[in-house]
Amino acid sequence: MTKVVVGISGGVDSAVAAYLLKKEGYEVEGLFMRNWDSMVNNDTHGNPNLNHSICPQEQDYNDALEACRILDIPLHRVDFIKEYWDYVFSYFLDELKKGRTPNPDLLCNKYIKFDLFKKEAKKLGADFIATGHYAKTKNGFLYRGIDENKDQSYFLAMVSHEALKDILFPLGNLEKTEVRALAEEIHLNVAKKKDSTGICFIGERHFQAFLENYLKPNPGDILNVETMEKIGRHTGLMNYTIGQRRNVGISGSLMRHYVCGKDVKKNILYVAFGDSDYLYSDACLVEDIHFISDKRPLECSAKFRYRGEDYPVFLEYQDKFIRVSYPGLVKSVTPGQACVFYLGDECLGCGIIKEVYKNQQKLFYL
């Protein structure tokens, strides 16, 4: 019998993925991975609604154990805490120091879930590895899941073609509502469990308070980008991202305002008011290029953030970079985020946004 080891997270998606595979006749086993010590800096920051009498990740493990008991499959466990720090969290901190906005989920998929996790699954005798991602694969190539709202191909764009050859995504042809309905039908304990959101190692904690454990706060001035007058103080450039509207640190302003730029050397945060032109660009330069597909189109579409729009783009292949041009202006394209390329439903790969341009001029995001 063909064996599949499923990454069981303690959530509804991975549990339903395991159920579907078992129903298809595979020999299914679960593997729970622990990537972060949730008790480290476990500060609720004054939130009375957070009860940490049990470590959140231990609760996930308990939920995973119960789900596997219901499904009648064994569950194994492995810790990747050190590896996660080395390959993902250190990069996250380094990018924040540069004033950029990193996306650690892409690196977690590349180095942890579809590399180290796969190796552990192979030790258990796995012929295939499966996860609860909303995406599809065919012959090692990556495609969007049919649920447009949940499609997670964006987060998988750094995984290699070779790594995807023996990966199964049972939820790729399902809508999230169908997954919830299936979970309730088979009486899974996680059927109504809330989806995890945000960065996994921060969870429900206060973002700025969490970062202060690792990066020293460096407050500075907030300037109106139009007038260059001082309008407030920021708590540290690491705490802001391009396009951010809330909690910027400007008191008494009734007009909508956005973060539109950072000067890391001068420690200045720039803010624009209204629907400012400063938020829009028509090209970007991407680095750290990774292709899953062997296709290298001159025209395709791209996403500049998860759940962002698809934009038609033109690609100019340079030595270690790709210049990505978009005929219509795009809002809040942000250095440090992934620019993910698509040709129809196929996810071709990605690069990390290095610089952003408008009318051939580099914008002063960094």
Side-chain angles (χ1 to χ4, degrees):
M1 186 182 290
T2 303
K3 179 186 277 193
V4 182
V5 171
V6 183
I8 300 290
S9 66
V12 65
D13 294 331
S14 59
V16 170
Y19 164 74
L20 291 171
L21 290 166
K22 186 175 180 183
K23 189 178 177 183
E24 287 183 34
Y26 291 104
E27 178 188 354
V28 177
E29 295 186 9
L31 179 57
F32 179 90
M33 69 186 97
R34 184 169 177 255
N35 296 332
W36 185 260
D37 185 349
S38 295
M39 293 307 291
V40 172
N41 304 317
N42 193 9
D43 179 15
T44 62
H45 203 69
N47 188 339
N49 297 317
L50 295 182
N51 178 5
H52 290 313
S53 58
I54 181 172
C55 165
Q57 206 156 37
E58 286 305 307
Q59 184 60 57
D60 286 340
Y61 179 61
N62 289 341
D63 290 341
L65 271 175
E66 177 61 13
C68 287
R69 185 195 67 77
I70 293 168
L71 295 171
D72 192 25
I73 62 173
L75 180 65
H76 310 273
R77 176 171 174 155
V78 63
D79 278 13
F80 293 129
I81 293 172
K82 180 184 183 302
E83 293 84 354
Y84 192 91
W85 181 284
D86 291 344
Y87 296 125
V88 181
F89 190 63
S90 295
Y91 170 86
F92 176 76
L93 294 180
D94 288 343
E95 287 289 280
L96 289 176
K97 289 175 188 175
K98 297 174 186 175
R100 306 201 331 169
T101 303
N103 194 321
D105 291 330
L106 281 93
L107 288 179
C108 181
N109 283 329
K110 177 180 179 179
Y111 292 114
I112 308 297
K113 293 180 182 176
F114 295 91
D115 184 7
L116 296 173
F117 175 86
K118 278 193 67 175
K119 290 171 182 173
E120 288 297 317
K122 292 293 185 181
K123 291 178 186 177
L124 296 172
D127 298 295
F128 292 95
I129 292 86
T131 69
H133 285 93
Y134 289 81
K136 295 190 285 187
T137 58
K138 184 178 180 181
N139 299 323
F141 298 110
L142 181 64
Y143 299 84
R144 305 178 202 252
I146 66 164
D147 188 330
E148 293 182 6
N149 188 52
K150 287 295 294 181
D151 167 53
Q152 292 171 306
S153 58
Y154 180 93
F155 294 124
L156 298 165
M158 280 189 177
V159 181
S160 72
H161 168 64
E162 195 64 31
L164 288 168
K165 284 183 177 178
D166 52 4
I167 296 295
L168 302 175
F169 294 131
L171 307 187
N173 287 311
L174 294 176
E175 302 275 348
K176 179 71 179 196
T177 52
E178 295 177 283
V179 171
R180 289 279 185 197
L182 265 175
E184 292 201 31
E185 183 182 315
I186 60 174
H187 306 294
L188 275 175
N189 59 311
V190 290
K192 295 183 179 180
K193 185 176 180 179
K194 184 180 176 182
D195 289 343
S196 59
T197 58
I199 301 170
C200 58
F201 47 76
I202 293 174
E204 301 294 333
R205 282 169 288 174
H206 189 279
F207 180 73
Q208 292 186 20
F210 173 81
L211 285 183
E212 286 175 8
N213 293 296
Y214 304 96
L215 298 177
K216 183 180 179 181
N218 186 22
D221 290 337
I222 301 174
L223 300 187
N224 182 329
V225 71
E226 298 281 358
T227 65
M228 291 299 166
E229 65 176 310
K230 178 181 173 181
I231 54 175
R233 294 279 290 175
H234 66 75
T235 58
L237 296 179
M238 64 187 180
N239 296 319
Y240 305 86
T241 188
I242 304 304
Q244 181 174 328
R245 291 165 45 189
R246 297 178 181 176
N247 303 316
V248 175
I250 303 172
S251 60
S253 175
L254 297 178
M255 187 181 295
R256 177 175 287 187
H257 50 275
Y258 303 83
V259 172
C260 70
K262 301 177 184 181
D263 187 325
V264 176
K265 291 181 180 178
K266 296 180 180 179
N267 196 30
I268 293 172
L269 185 74
Y270 294 98
V271 170
F273 289 82
D275 199 20
S276 172
D277 287 344
Y278 285 96
L279 288 170
Y280 291 87
S281 63
D282 57 22
C284 65
L285 192 70
V286 299
E287 60 184 352
D288 299 330
I289 309 299
H290 169 74
F291 274 98
I292 303 166
S293 174
D294 52 6
K295 298 169 185 172
R296 300 292 184 274
L298 299 177
E299 297 180 35
C300 61
S301 67
K303 282 183 181 290
F304 299 102
R305 62 183 64 234
Y306 177 53
R307 286 182 178 162
E309 272 186 64
D310 266 44
Y311 292 95
V313 296
F314 300 93
L315 305 184
E316 179 186 330
Y317 297 88
Q318 302 175 359
D319 184 17
K320 295 182 179 180
F321 307 98
I322 296 178
R323 183 178 177 85
V324 182
S325 303
Y326 19 104
L329 294 176
V330 177
K331 189 176 183 179
S332 303
V333 176
T334 306
Q337 288 283 291
C339 172
V340 178
F341 306 116
Y342 293 89
L343 201 56
D345 282 339
E346 183 179 1
C347 179
L348 304 177
C350 68
I352 301 300
I353 299 165
K354 174 180 172 62
E355 296 170 354
V356 183
Y357 296 85
K358 184 164 67 175
N359 299 326
Q360 305 296 318
Q361 298 295 314
K362 179 184 174 183
L363 297 180
F364 63 108
Y365 288 130
L366 296 175

